[in-house]
């Protein structure tokens, strides 16, 4: 258990987010100069961006299972 706003909380969140970012990049690697999906993270938040709603839904499912 870590308190919200504690020093260790952002570190643990970034470790988890790094794993999720790798998962998304493995599922949808760049094709030449085109990016299929992008996971953007800031502190302990993240968002997945893609032009294809199907890719976003698949990422949502994969991330839910990963967590």
């Amino acid at each position: 258990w870590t308190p919200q706003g504690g020093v260790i909380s952002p570190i643990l969140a970034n470790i988890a987010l790094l794993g999720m970012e790798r998962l998304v990049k493995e599922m949808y690697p760049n094709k030449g100069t085109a990016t299929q999906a992008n996971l953007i993270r800031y502190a302990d938040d993240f968002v997945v961006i893609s032009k294809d709603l199907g890719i976003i839904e698949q990422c949502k499912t994969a991330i839910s299972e990963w967590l």
Side-chain angles (χ1 to χ4, degrees):
W1 178 80
T2 60
Q4 186 171 358
V7 176
I8 195 72
S9 181
I11 293 170
L12 294 175
N14 270 303
I15 291 169
L17 292 177
L18 179 62
M20 287 190 297
E21 187 173 11
R22 287 180 181 159
L23 174 68
V24 170
K25 286 182 179 180
E26 287 174 9
M27 288 175 59
Y28 298 101
N30 293 348
K31 289 187 174 180
T33 59
T35 301
Q36 296 180 34
N38 211 356
L39 188 142
I40 300 169
R41 57 190 179 122
Y42 178 77
D44 57 356
D45 295 320
F46 72 95
V47 63
V48 176
I49 298 174
S50 177
K51 294 180 181 180
D52 185 341
L53 180 59
I55 289 176
I56 293 173
E57 291 293 337
Q58 290 173 6
C59 286
K60 179 181 173 183
T61 301
I63 289 170
S64 294
E65 291 172 0
W66 189 83
L67 288 173

